[in-house]
Amino acid sequence: DAKTTQPNSMESNEEEPVHLPCNHSTISGTDYIHWYRQLPSQGPEYVIHGLTSNVNNRMASLAIAEDRKSSTLILHRATLRDAAVYYCILRGDSGGGADGLTFGKGTHLIIQP
Amino acid sequence: DTGVSQDPRHKITKRGQNVTFRCDPISEHNRLYWYRQTLGQGPEFLTYFQNEAQLEKSRLLSDRFSAERPKGSFSTLEIQRTEQGDSAMYLCASSPTGWGGNTIYFGEGSWLTVV
């Protein structure tokens, strides 16, 4: 079962910031928070990941709550190309089992022009 | 391009036929994963390899499915006696190690349609 909870869909306007929330109340101390997105008919694409501190890269920012039970992916200025399904995933460091990624249904982000 | 590549991208087959998909991971990535994705759902884990060793198989991987990574480089996923329920996108992904802080890189997927 997925260990994260995300809204099914969100809508935003082009060139405005977008905040995509994710709840992961059962996160363990060694779980990394990963975000991937998937455009139609393509494989998932890495966006960003973090452990405890907020992270920034050229695609997005990741804000992690102090208790790590929730996080927010921030797209600073959405474009039409950002319309995709966004997955928030916990990746453990146990070294065993299916330590790949366990996907939920993600958030379908709609961008209005 | 040095990303994960999958072949073929699309395959239409008749029920009962066998199909094989190939995945070439990013060079020097020890971990290789196979996922399956149906319409409207997120990808579901099938199996993964650490080098040439297949370390885990999901319950989704029935006896008709077999995956190999003979030399720890490319991998194949074979489906025998295909059924209509096998119609899905099959995704391959690779990662340097199993460490939680590593990124997992996905290929573009292989679409299977069983008619």
Side-chain angles (χ1 to χ4, degrees), chain A residues 1 9 11-12 15 21 29 32 41 46 54 71 73 79 82 85 89 97-98 110:
Chain A
D1 291 330
S9 65
E11 202 167 310
S12 183
E15 298 188 1
Y32 285 78
S41 300
Y46 168 78
N54 295 343
S71 61
L73 178 70
T79 70
D82 292 322
V85 178
I89 300 156
I110 300 164

Side-chain angles (χ1 to χ4, degrees), chain B residues 10-25:
Chain B
H10 298 88
K11 178 72 175 180
I12 300 174
T13 190
K14 291 183 178 179
R15 186 162 55 97
Q17 298 295 305
N18 299 344
V19 296
T20 299
F21 299 111
R22 176 181 170 123
C23 171
D24 286 273

Side-chain angles (χ1 to χ4, degrees), chain A residues 41-97:
Chain A
S41 300
Q42 294 188 23
E45 174 189 27
Y46 168 78
V47 177
I48 200 167
H49 76 278
L51 184 61
T52 56
S53 304
N54 295 343
V55 184
N56 299 297
N57 67 20
R58 63 175 180 82
M59 290 182 69
S61 294
L62 176 60
I64 301 173
E66 197 170 333
D67 63 5
R68 301 208 326 126
K69 293 184 176 181
S70 66
S71 61
T72 302
L73 178 70
I74 302 165
L75 307 179
H76 296 286
R77 198 160 167 262
T79 70
L80 295 177
R81 293 184 70 252
D82 292 322
V85 178
Y86 286 77
Y87 296 100
C88 167
I89 300 156
L90 303 183
R91 189 177 186 202
D93 202 24
S94 65

Side-chain angles (χ1 to χ4, degrees), chain A residues 6-19:
Chain A
Q6 301 177 251
N8 289 332
S9 65
M10 289 185 64
E11 202 167 310
S12 183
N13 295 319
E14 196 176 10
E15 298 188 1
E16 290 186 357
V18 180
H19 289 66

Side-chain angles (χ1 to χ4, degrees), chain B residues 5-65:
Chain B
S5 65
Q6 294 186 242
D7 183 70
R9 292 293 316 281
H10 298 88
K11 178 72 175 180
I12 300 174
T13 190
K14 291 183 178 179
R15 186 162 55 97
Q17 298 295 305
N18 299 344
V19 296
T20 299
F21 299 111
R22 176 181 170 123
C23 171
D24 286 273
I26 294 173
S27 179
E28 298 181 355
H29 277 193
N30 294 326
R31 289 288 173 108
L32 186 147
Y33 304 86
W34 284 100
Y35 288 80
R36 181 175 70 184
Q37 186 173 25
T38 53
L39 284 175
Q41 302 296 317
E44 298 171 293
F45 168 79
L46 291 178
T47 188
Y48 84 97
F49 292 84
Q50 170 72 26
N51 298 313
E52 67 275 10
Q54 187 173 16
L55 296 185
E56 182 162 344
K57 294 190 285 187
S58 160
R59 285 171 293 184
L60 293 174
L61 214 65
S62 76
D63 292 343
R64 297 183 297 104
F65 288 69

